[in-house]
Amino acid sequence: MTSPNRWRRPATVTAAVIACVSLGSGVASADSTFWGGKPGADGAGDSYYPQDGNGGYNVDDYNLAVDYDPAARQLDAKEVISARATQSLSSFNLDLSGLTVDSVKVDGRTAKFTRGGEHELTITPARTIYVGQHFSTEIVYHGTPAPIDDPALGNNGWQYSASGGAFVAGEPKSASTWYPVNDTPLDKATFHLAITVPDEWGVIANGKERGTRKGPKGTTHVWSEDTPAVPYMTTVAIEKWEFDRTKLSNGTPVVNAYAPGTSDATKAAEGRLPEIIDFLSSKFGPYPVDAAGGIFLAEPIGFSLETLSRPIYSGRAGNIGTIVHENAHQWYGDSVAVKNWKDVCLNECFASYATWLWDEAKSGVDLKTKYLAAVNSASATFWNSPGNKLYDMGAGREFTAVYSKGPMALHALKNTIGAPAFDFVLKTWPTLHRNGNAGFKEFQKYVELVSHKNLQGFFDAWFYVAGKPAPEYLYPGDLGKS
């Protein structure tokens, strides 16, 4: 690990001027922030989940050393967070649900800390952290992780399997159930994990395997995810796995982990992963992540999830359609993450439409017929429900119409702007925003730029309001021809 750059408070006006010049004119204009640290915000300001995430810094890397005892459900961990201050900080917050914090150090110096609210861990370092400064936070903690109950999806975060193992899955939040984190899509970071479990257990996580080593407490499994990840995309799963290791055609490592009892049909479906990724690459551009594979649970949880590089699948969801959907997210949702949760159509509408494209290419499904059947069978309740909006649908409604109305809207868009322009957008959008974040209205502007069309009426009809689109938007292009 690179040692953090440590700044000293300027002792003279001359030193202060030099420091400000070296940081650029933007810092000089923010002298009150530079000279006097202030508390970082205790939330990232999302309109749906305003207290999730924090302000005042950006994380570069999470590095976790974890001991986990499945029999006792006891987790003991030390975490090192590498970050950069975006304001001068007298204190800053992290998100942590439950668990007990034992000690905190910032740049090697003991720091004070308090707990508050549902998940706030407030840290006061011994010295002010100055804007632009790279700093390191070491947190030692322990406890029995507990999931977050979601009224729609059930448990999110750290969960327990019937076998005695454990796994992490959840959206919009899950990481805070097992490590202190800046829990917002706006702060991507690399993720490194060394987890020690008894020898009889296996471990799978994000990214690449970096080896194992035996010790007095069991076997330590080391994983490295060097593609920046949103926190909810990080995972670990502990089970008596059956592993399957291969590579994509470009050499990207593939690791699949199957829980005991996984069906041959599920294994055969995942065996087509290289074909699936090649197909998605032909539609969305080069595969944007450093590893691939899947985590196949025995538990029939309420969802599967696009955890970065290695989606995690419910025990009842090991089928081609779900595998296509979750891997499409590696482009739409993971490599390019939302800016706000109201933008979630950028994740789910596109991953859902990917299954339409797969069915067209691999099973000869006529998408016009599929689209018209969906439109003709949709009820008035379907069109007029408040949750039918595809943008800013409201907290708790994010994961509803995006799976059904979402692909219909994208197919209508394709027939509005034409296949060449639509295909160009699908392939270039992930490249333009790779490893970053984007908002839905940015997507509209990009489509209008590519197609040379004013599409406000179309986007209003399909995305921004509930209700059945007018015929001109419901049957554009060839969709209106018999």
Side-chain angles (χ1 to χ4, degrees):
M1 179 182 296
T2 303
S3 299
N5 297 320
R6 295 185 173 87
W7 288 14
R8 298 183 183 274
R9 184 164 185 153
T12 66
V13 172
T14 301
V17 170
I18 293 172
C20 290
V21 169
S22 69
L23 288 168
S25 59
V27 173
S29 66
D31 57 342
S32 63
T33 301
F34 182 82
W35 290 112
K38 298 179 180 179
D42 64 356
D46 185 87
S47 58
Y48 293 177
Y49 307 102
Q51 295 306 117
D52 289 358
N54 304 281
Y57 64 93
N58 288 324
V59 176
D60 297 318
D61 180 73
Y62 297 100
N63 195 318
L64 279 72
V66 175
D67 291 342
Y68 181 68
D69 180 358
R73 295 186 171 182
Q74 177 72 17
L75 181 148
D76 295 276
K78 181 173 78 171
E79 175 186 34
V80 177
I81 302 173
S82 301
R84 183 182 64 84
T86 57
Q87 69 169 73
S88 291
L89 292 167
S90 59
S91 65
F92 61 95
N93 284 31
L94 291 162
D95 301 297
L96 181 65
S97 300
L99 302 176
T100 298
V101 175
D102 301 307
S103 65
V104 178
K105 293 181 179 180
V106 177
D107 284 343
R109 299 180 180 90
T110 298
K112 297 178 181 179
F113 62 91
T114 58
R115 305 292 294 273
E118 291 185 2
H119 50 66
E120 298 297 338
L121 168 62
T122 303
I123 297 171
T124 303
R127 297 183 180 182
T128 297
I129 301 169
Y130 292 106
V131 61
Q133 178 180 345
H134 292 266
F135 65 100
S136 174
T137 304
E138 176 190 288
I139 304 168
V140 178
Y141 62 101
H142 74 277
T144 300
I148 300 165
D149 180 46
D150 184 284
L153 299 175
N155 286 337
N156 279 245
W158 189 283
Q159 302 175 55
Y160 298 97
S161 57
S163 67
F167 60 92
V168 177
E171 184 183 11
K173 49 192 171 186
S174 65
S176 62
T177 62
W178 67 295
Y179 66 94
V181 63
N182 191 20
D183 206 359
T184 168
L186 294 173
D187 196 2
K188 292 184 170 186
T190 54
F191 179 76
H192 296 86
L193 173 67
I195 181 167
T196 303
V197 295
D199 293 338
E200 66 268 24
W201 294 94
V203 173
I204 190 163
N206 306 88
K208 296 180 179 179
E209 294 178 285
R210 298 300 188 190
T212 60
R213 58 181 181 269
K214 293 290 184 85
K217 294 183 179 180
T219 302
T220 300
H221 304 259
V222 182
W223 291 85
S224 172
E225 180 52 86
D226 295 316
T227 301
V230 168
Y232 79 83
M233 298 172 192
T234 63
T235 189
V236 65
I238 301 155
E239 183 56 88
K240 295 174 182 177
W241 301 109
E242 174 190 340
F243 287 98
D244 177 50
R245 295 172 174 87
T246 57
K247 291 183 179 181
L248 301 180
S249 58
N250 65 0
T252 299
V254 177
V255 183
N256 296 312
Y258 302 105
T262 301
S263 70
D264 290 341
T266 292
K267 293 176 184 177
E270 181 67 3
R272 297 181 69 182
L273 182 63
E275 176 190 359
I276 291 169
I277 290 180
D278 282 347
F279 171 77
L280 294 172
S281 298
S282 74
K283 299 296 183 181
F284 302 151
Y287 184 62
V289 190
D290 60 350
I295 303 169
F296 292 84
L297 304 172
E299 276 61 38
I301 60 174
F303 56 91
S304 297
L305 185 66
E306 61 273 17
T307 39
L308 186 69
S309 74
R310 195 156 290 113
I312 191 164
Y313 297 94
S314 166
R316 58 189 176 194
N319 55 71
I320 286 288
T322 305
I323 294 169
V324 170
H325 180 106
E326 302 304 341
N327 280 281
H329 274 308
Q330 304 304 308
W331 287 263
Y332 282 90
D334 288 20
S335 177
V336 184
V338 294
K339 283 187 174 178
N340 298 283
W341 283 106
K342 64 184 179 182
D343 299 312
V344 74
C345 182
L346 286 175
N347 298 5
E348 300 299 344
C349 295
F350 289 83
S352 298
Y353 191 64
T355 66
W356 283 38
L357 297 175
W358 173 269
D359 289 344
E360 178 186 44
K362 302 297 182 176
S363 301
V365 172
D366 181 75
L367 294 190
K368 177 180 178 179
T369 300
K370 183 179 180 75
Y371 172 86
L372 293 176
V375 168
N376 293 334
S377 64
S379 66
T381 300
F382 172 86
W383 291 115
N384 296 315
S385 167
N388 184 259
K389 291 173 63 179
L390 293 174
Y391 171 78
D392 202 5
M393 62 289 290
R397 298 173 180 155
E398 303 96 303
F399 306 106
T400 52
V402 288
Y403 301 106
S404 52
K405 185 184 176 186
M408 295 164 62
L410 290 179
H411 196 65
L413 178 61
K414 178 177 182 177
N415 282 269
T416 297
I417 66 175
F422 183 78
D423 293 345
F424 182 84
V425 167
L426 278 190
K427 184 170 284 190
T428 55
W429 176 261
T431 301
L432 286 172
H433 298 279
R434 183 169 180 170
N435 293 337
N437 300 75
F440 191 81
K441 291 193 174 182
E442 292 174 74
F443 176 76
Q444 176 188 340
K445 291 178 181 178
Y446 184 60
V447 175
E448 290 177 331
L449 177 67
V450 170
S451 65
H452 305 290
K453 292 177 181 286
N454 182 333
L455 297 170
Q456 191 61 51
F458 178 91
F459 276 83
D460 285 341
W462 273 104
F463 296 97
Y464 299 144
V465 300
K468 189 174 184 177
E472 64 185 293
Y473 304 121
L474 198 59
Y475 303 107
D478 289 342
L479 297 177
K481 300 175 183 178
S482 58

